[in-house]
Amino acid sequence: MRLPSLVAVSSCVLLQYSSVAYGQSNASDTRPYPGTPANFSSFALAPFWPYQTFVTEPDFHPPVLEITKQPGASDGLFIFAPLPFLPVYPDRPPVGLIMDQLGNPIWHSANGYLGQLEVQQLDGKNVLTYWTGGIGGGFVDAHGMGTITILDSTYKLIQNVTLNDGTFKAGDSMQNKPYPSYIDIHESHITPKGSLIVTAYNSTPYNLSAVGGPEDGWLLDSLIYEIDLRTNETLFRWSSVEHIDELPLNGSHQLHPNGSIIDGNNATHPWDYFLTNSVFPLDDGYILSSRHYWSAIALDSNGNVTWNLNGEDGGDFDLVNQTGKSSTFSWQHYVRPLDSTPNRSVTIDMFNNHNNGFDNGTNPSTGLTLYLDLQNRTVETVSALQDPKKVVYVDSQGTFQRLPGDHKLLANGQIPTLTEFDDNDRVVMKARFGQDNQVSSYRSYLVSNWSATPYWAPKIATTQEASGNVTLSMSWNGATPDVYDGWMIYESADVNGPLTEISQRVPRTGFETNATLSAGTRLVMAAAGKGNQATRRSESIRVELPSV
Ligand SMILES: *[C@@H]1O[C@H](CO)[C@@H](O)[C@H](O)[C@H]1NC(C)=O
Ligand SMILES: *[C@@H]1O[C@H](CO)[C@@H](O)[C@H](O)[C@H]1NC(C)=O
Ligand SMILES: *[C@@H]1O[C@H](CO)[C@@H](O)[C@H](O)[C@H]1NC(C)=O
Ligand SMILES: *[C@@H]1O[C@H](CO)[C@@H](O)[C@H](O)[C@H]1NC(C)=O
Ligand SMILES: *[C@@H]1O[C@H](CO)[C@@H](O)[C@H](O)[C@H]1NC(C)=O
Ligand SMILES: *[C@@H]1O[C@H](CO)[C@@H](O)[C@H](O)[C@H]1NC(C)=O
Ligand SMILES: *[C@@H]1O[C@H](CO)[C@@H](O)[C@H](O)[C@H]1NC(C)=O
Ligand SMILES: *[C@@H]1O[C@H](CO)[C@@H](O)[C@H](O)[C@H]1NC(C)=O
Ligand SMILES: *[C@@H]1O[C@H](CO)[C@@H](O)[C@H](O)[C@H]1NC(C)=O
Ligand SMILES: *[C@@H]1O[C@H](CO)[C@@H](O)[C@H](O)[C@H]1NC(C)=O
Ligand SMILES: *[C@@H]1O[C@H](CO)[C@@H](O)[C@H](O)[C@H]1NC(C)=O
Ligand SMILES: *[C@@H]1O[C@H](CO)[C@@H](O)[C@H](O)[C@H]1NC(C)=O
């Protein structure tokens, strides 16, 4: 992932403008995407996008999520973490979100950046996982020094996974300080055996003269850890620097030390030559994506390189081109194996950015699927998904998710759009949560398996309308659509109650549901539920008399 110059100071994320060209959409295509209100695109000069507000949760300002669907589009909940570009306006903070098909929030995290928000399985149960912590790396490539939070389906903490063996140096050009935990921002994958695969960075002294850098230089070692979630034991550790004989420095496409803003001169300006941005299990080893190597690399269970598929020259493979479709890729994200027959073949998906700031939007980004013949060491392009009506050039970030029924979801990372393709690779859904280059989401998913009953109670609040009526607003952050479909309201004309009878029933109308209180109501309470069954009650609150 490359983020706009971004530095976390305490809990507040500061961002700075830079002259680096960010991702771009096809500039000559001025059509709104999709159904964007005219006002939406006229704010290109200032970081701005429409957001929603709620009476019951005044701190929540989730973006308007615009969704255009064709028949056959998948159902489910969108899960993503909008990160505004620079500067961050206080009313549009970074956040983690689950939203429904109408763009209503289902769950809104506390404000602040959550990386890699995802629904995963742990011990046979669905859990919500995300990264939080400090972000460093300054101008060129962001990396994190943080922890992975694992929540159960009531949003209670199961585990706060940390990594700190005392050897880490942040290599953070903005803050050279120790962090409590050094899990990086790019990966947090729970395996079927109950372990967590994460990435980490360590600023490491290295002789960079072979690539034109200083003899007493520094680089960012790109590390992979697999942590047993029951014991915290490290099951696997891999260091790119310990494999420089297999993956030499001159394979890096990252700006070389002498041409880079982060130039390898010292511990706080290390050269980020490798950058692992995804790791998944493959057979009894792993497959990683190195953004700066333009490579998908298979490791065996000892961490030895089994093969290196390079997006420029093939590496250990020939990029055959029988289908006439290019197999080249670069700056890619989310390299994920599909079918694998060990030692014979593997099919992989990736989000092929094919761009970095200095590529000036040369190659469109695609969802690339490659068939790797491991015996003959050849590669064939199975498909290269792109929306023909909205070509994107995505410098950083992105996800390629497989959905049921051979549907595919491309989350365009730095371009705040999601595109769903059906089994014939036709576009059946487009969604947008902001203006290009003003907000991004590193990874985004559409999930059908998140059912959650929050451990906290619903919230209610009243508003005195000018008409004299009192509006009751009700919400239950985090409760999924299967958990409640309506509200039961209990009113009393006596501030001391009792609240025993249901006075009104109203159906759920999104994140926040409104009702008009009966005249004279002085005490009110509401319960979220299904049918006649109350699932959870709010506190009871007093209704202020209108000031006359
Ligand atoms: C950009 O969009 C225009 C208008 O839709 C289209 O004619 C053109 O082919 C597109 N260019 C690319 C590179 O996709
Ligand atoms: C668009 O902007 C105009 C002028 O600022 C405003 O009156 C109008 O309500 C806006 N429309 C929408 C849909 O936000
Ligand atoms: C998780 O651990 C980090 C590092 O020790 C700490 O800063 C953070 O407060 C912890 N979070 C929770 C929810 O316990
Ligand atoms: C650094 O590496 C270069 C070759 O790239 C070598 O000539 C030089 O001796 C090395 N310096 C040190 C201090 O090892
Ligand atoms: C694992 O580490 C966490 C902190 O990250 C700690 O709270 C927990 O007790 C540890 N578990 C074991 C089994 O040591
Ligand atoms: C580290 O290197 C950078 C870039 O060359 C330089 O600006 C900075 O002053 C150096 N820091 C120290 C402590 O030498
Ligand atoms: C593979 O890794 C093991 C353990 O680190 C090492 O002993 C062995 O030499 C490696 N094999 C190759 C071919 O590099
Ligand atoms: C594959 O074929 C296409 C169309 O002929 C060509 O544009 C592309 O460069 C080729 N890719 C490779 C890797 O040879
Ligand atoms: C490798 O090539 C041979 C000869 O063309 C073919 O029979 C074999 O199926 C290929 N291997 C794979 C894994 O496709
Ligand atoms: C992008 O534009 C810059 C400035 O014009 C130029 O130096 C650079 O070579 C271009 N990059 C590519 C890949 O065309
Ligand atoms: C007050 O609310 C009631 C019930 O929703 C509605 O019928 C009535 O028109 C409202 N009164 C005013 C003045 O808006
Ligand atoms: C609910 O009522 C509040 C207070 O009047 C208002 O601000 C809000 O827009 C209403 N929400 C909906 C969905 O109508």
Side-chain angles (χ1 to χ4, degrees):
M1 165 166 79
R2 202 200 64 186
L3 294 172
S5 6
L6 186 151
V7 180
V9 175
S10 317
S11 61
C12 153
V13 179
L14 298 179
L15 301 117
Q16 305 165 318
Y17 279 114
S18 90
S19 58
V20 175
Y22 294 137
Q24 38 187 286
S25 299
N26 177 350
S28 59
D29 186 351
T30 54
R31 283 169 303 176
Y33 182 98
T36 306
N39 287 14
F40 198 76
S41 50
S42 64
F43 284 89
L45 293 180
F48 182 90
W49 61 94
Y51 62 83
Q52 309 179 45
T53 58
F54 305 102
V55 177
T56 48
E57 299 280 7
D59 294 337
F60 291 2
H61 289 175
V64 169
L65 178 67
E66 294 179 356
I67 302 159
T68 307
K69 294 175 74 165
Q70 306 293 327
S74 298
D75 219 342
L77 301 175
F78 295 99
I79 177 162
F80 60 111
L83 176 65
F85 279 42
L86 349 164
V88 175
Y89 283 46
D91 59 351
R92 297 174 188 83
V95 69
L97 286 170
I98 301 175
M99 283 185 154
D100 71 11
Q101 292 276 328
L102 297 171
N104 298 308
I106 296 295
W107 176 72
H108 186 294
S109 74
N111 289 325
Y113 181 59
L114 306 190
Q116 305 168 62
L117 179 61
E118 198 176 338
V119 174
Q120 304 199 64
Q121 280 73 49
L122 175 61
D123 298 332
K125 296 193 180 90
N126 290 326
V127 293
L128 196 61
T129 60
Y130 57 84
W131 175 96
T132 51
I135 297 177
F139 220 101
V140 177
D141 279 285
H143 59 275
M145 288 76 58
T147 66
I148 302 298
T149 301
I150 305 177
L151 302 181
D152 69 13
S153 62
T154 70
Y155 303 93
K156 274 194 187 131
L157 183 69
I158 297 176
Q159 202 160 333
N160 183 18
V161 188
T162 62
L163 177 68
N164 192 356
D165 60 10
T167 67
F168 286 97
K169 287 184 201 71
D172 174 356
S173 58
M174 303 301 189
Q175 298 176 75
N176 188 27
K177 65 168 194 186
Y179 288 82
S181 174
Y182 286 85
I183 296 177
D184 171 45
I185 206 163
H186 288 94
E187 187 59 86
S188 57
H189 178 72
I190 298 179
T191 71
K193 63 181 175 195
S195 60
L196 179 73
I197 300 174
V198 297
T199 52
Y201 272 116
N202 202 356
S203 186
T204 304
Y206 207 85
N207 178 354
L208 298 176
S209 62
V211 286
E215 232 179 12
D216 58 346
W218 290 75
L219 49 65
L220 276 176
D221 190 6
S222 189
L223 296 147
I224 298 169
Y225 284 80
E226 181 172 350
I227 300 165
D228 187 323
L229 289 172
R230 287 174 200 87
T231 61
N232 294 337
E233 189 193 336
T234 296
L235 303 175
F236 177 80
R237 175 189 174 274
W238 188 83
S239 144
S240 64
V241 166
E242 288 169 13
H243 290 268
I244 280 180
D245 54 336
E246 293 166 297
L247 302 163
L249 295 184
N250 63 11
S252 179
H253 292 272
Q254 178 61 334
L255 293 176
H256 275 205
N258 54 356
S260 169
I261 295 153
I262 294 186
D263 48 21
N265 273 353
N266 52 48
T268 53
H269 285 64
W271 181 40
D272 186 11
Y273 82 105
F274 198 78
L275 206 170
T276 302
N277 60 19
S278 72
V279 192
F280 292 102
L282 175 61
D283 305 331
D284 52 5
Y286 305 86
I287 185 169
L288 69 86
S289 163
S290 167
R291 170 171 165 88
H292 291 168
Y293 244 71
W294 299 0
S295 278
I297 295 166
L299 306 176
D300 67 18
S301 55
N302 291 319
N304 294 320
V305 174
T306 313
W307 46 258
N308 170 13
L309 169 65
N310 184 262
E312 183 182 38
D313 63 11
D316 296 333
F317 294 82
D318 284 330
L319 294 179
V320 292
N321 207 4
Q322 293 156 0
T323 52
K325 288 181 217 151
S326 173
S327 304
T328 59
F329 59 89
S330 57
W331 311 115
Q332 79 288 340
H333 284 79
Y334 211 72
V335 173
R336 197 178 168 96
L338 296 174
D339 310 316
S340 165
T341 309
N343 305 317
R344 252 192 87 79
S345 66
V346 61
T347 304
I348 60 172
D349 285 339
M350 72 175 72
F351 187 85
N352 179 16
N353 297 74
H354 235 165
N355 284 277
N356 203 333
F358 40 83
D359 289 321
N360 311 326
T362 316
N363 300 305
S365 305
T366 63
L368 186 61
T369 303
L370 300 176
Y371 172 82
L372 279 60
D373 175 341
L374 301 176
Q375 290 180 327
N376 303 308
R377 296 286 167 133
T378 56
V379 180
E380 243 178 88
T381 299
V382 178
S383 59
L385 294 173
Q386 66 179 44
D387 178 355
K389 292 184 176 161
K390 189 68 178 181
V391 177
V392 289
Y393 304 91
V394 183
D395 290 352
S396 83
Q397 312 166 65
T399 332
F400 180 160
Q401 183 193 3
R402 292 271 160 179
L403 299 171
D406 196 24
H407 283 221
K408 280 83 59 178
L409 183 77
L410 288 191
N412 296 310
Q414 186 165 358
I415 303 287
T417 58
L418 307 168
T419 315
E420 182 187 345
F421 300 83
D422 71 5
D423 52 342
N424 289 313
D425 294 351
R426 283 183 306 233
V427 174
V428 288
M429 189 281 303
K430 301 181 186 200
R432 177 181 277 283
F433 54 90
Q435 190 67 20
D436 289 359
N437 300 314
Q438 296 189 357
V439 59
S440 66
S441 178
Y442 172 54
R443 289 179 176 179
S444 312
Y445 303 91
L446 186 58
V447 298
S448 54
N449 57 356
W450 186 240
S451 168
T453 306
Y455 70 80
W456 53 79
K459 286 191 180 175
I460 60 173
T462 54
T463 305
Q464 286 284 348
E465 306 293 355
S467 66
N469 276 347
V470 177
T471 301
L472 177 68
S473 300
M474 301 162 281
S475 72
W476 195 13
N477 185 30
T480 47
D482 55 308
V483 165
Y484 83 96
D485 59 16
W487 294 94
M488 289 147 238
I489 300 170
Y490 302 75
E491 293 170 80
S492 169
D494 183 337
V495 286
N496 298 313
L499 295 168
T500 47
E501 301 288 317
I502 296 174
S503 57
Q504 303 186 49
R505 292 174 195 279
V506 288
R508 179 178 186 165
T509 58
F511 182 81
E512 189 169 77
T513 301
N514 279 352
T516 301
L517 290 185
S518 313
T521 291
R522 296 296 315 283
L523 189 69
V524 62
M525 186 264 286
K530 286 185 86 169
N532 286 327
Q533 202 65 41
T535 306
R536 189 73 192 263
R537 295 173 163 220
S538 72
E539 289 191 331
S540 51
I541 60 170
R542 290 183 177 193
V543 181
E544 298 306 319
L545 291 174
S547 45
V548 195

